Amino acid sequence: MYADPMLINPGNSSITDPSHLADTDDYKITEGSPVIDSGLDLNSNFNLNTGNKDYFGNTIQQGMNFDYGIYQHIDKQIISFDTGWNIMSSNLLPANQDIKSFFQSLIDNNSLVKVQDENGNSLEYLSFLGVWNNSIGDMLLTDGYKVKVSADDMIEICGPTVKFPYEIPLKTGWNIISFPQTTVFNGKDVVQQLIDKDVLVKVQDEDGNSIEYLSFLGEWNNSIVDFLPGKGYKVKVSADDTLWIYNSYPKSGAIKSELITTNHFQPAFEGNG
């Protein structure tokens, strides 16, 4: 089966200096190319180490989908923040995973107040030292992060996407998970695997909406409705387990319950649960 790889400018450059080979766009691919995420993992399948960069110097990172050819397509994600507290996550892994580097544009815009992970570690400005202190370390694609901003803002991330199914480990109690998808899916469909194993206690989004079992109704109520790319979610489980993020989920007819009134709250997000 043949398909147009949708190259930018195939075979039309003229180069006399070999040192500029990597600068040519001839064999880079465009958005929507059928070769994106269609390649083989040569290391896993044939024990061939192809290195960690493509021909053009783009980083090829563990856990990503591979492309055919000499160019590894780099995806882009824009994550928006509303004034106050947000819970965010990314579906792309940037080349520099240091959490301060990840949020540097918000620091430069003077809009970032604080970032906090599920363990209470933070990125925040220490006025008595005059520096931003990062006790989180590196960003993890499995994790969501609480982010407080003083004004509406956004960040743009470039990097490779993850391969599905994607494994998110959960510890007993509260976790803040990522949703490393590019597509909206019904939240209950995503966590149904935990319900089936009788370990899910509650899921909560940044607005206080939840997925939880209502004993007086004898059913699970989903006032979150959909899990959204770029958002993170608080998940409480009764035992250590794993949440698998899949490429797709069954269609759900679930709609926001009109029978249950959700008491929204203003999250403080200073603790671990």
Side-chain angles (χ1 to χ4, degrees), residues 60-258:
I60 302 173
Q61 295 162 342
Q62 184 178 11
M64 69 183 297
N65 291 310
F66 298 102
D67 302 340
Y68 280 119
I70 62 174
Y71 178 68
Q72 182 65 42
H73 178 73
I74 301 299
D75 290 287
K76 184 182 295 184
Q77 181 183 19
I78 294 175
I79 299 176
S80 298
F81 300 94
D82 296 327
T83 303
W85 282 104
N86 305 258
I87 306 180
M88 62 76 61
S89 69
S90 175
N91 55 41
L92 302 176
L93 189 64
N96 187 348
Q97 291 135 48
D98 177 78
I99 204 79
K100 181 174 180 289
S101 174
F102 187 86
F103 289 101
Q104 188 61 52
S105 63
L106 299 186
I107 294 174
D108 294 341
N109 292 343
N110 293 315
S111 62
L112 184 64
V113 178
K114 187 175 184 178
V115 180
Q116 195 171 36
D117 69 11
E118 65 185 16
N119 297 312
N121 301 310
S122 66
L123 169 67
E124 59 185 318
Y125 186 74
L126 302 180
S127 56
F128 63 93
L129 292 178
V131 298
W132 283 87
N133 182 64
N134 174 17
S135 62
I136 296 175
D138 288 345
M139 175 190 171
L140 300 176
L141 281 186
T142 55
D143 291 3
Y145 297 90
K146 306 169 189 174
V147 180
K148 187 177 184 181
V149 291
S150 58
D152 292 357
D153 211 330
M154 53 79 68
I155 55 175
E156 183 178 284
I157 309 158
C158 294
T161 55
V162 302
K163 283 196 294 187
F164 298 113
Y166 189 73
E167 180 181 10
I168 298 181
L170 302 172
K171 66 180 186 298
T172 303
W174 281 105
N175 304 259
I176 306 178
I177 67 163
S178 69
F179 184 58
Q181 260 287 358
T182 58
T183 305
V184 173
F185 286 104
N186 179 272
K188 185 171 177 288
D189 290 345
V190 175
V191 299
Q192 185 64 48
Q193 57 194 281
L194 302 176
I195 294 174
D196 293 342
K197 288 188 281 187
D198 199 28
V199 297
L200 183 65
V201 178
K202 187 175 185 178
V203 182
Q204 199 167 36
D205 69 9
E206 65 189 15
D207 296 317
N209 301 307
S210 66
I211 300 173
E212 59 185 319
Y213 186 75
L214 301 181
S215 57
F216 64 93
L217 290 179
E219 63 182 28
W220 285 86
N221 181 66
N222 176 15
S223 62
I224 292 176
V225 185
D226 293 326
F227 276 13
L228 307 176
K231 293 297 185 181
Y233 298 89
K234 297 180 68 177
V235 176
K236 187 176 184 180
V237 289
S238 58
D240 293 355
D241 213 310
T242 298
L243 176 67
W244 289 93
I245 304 299
Y246 295 103
N247 188 54
S248 63
Y249 295 88
K251 296 290 185 182
S252 173
I255 60 173
K256 182 172 289 191
S257 173
E258 296 179 354

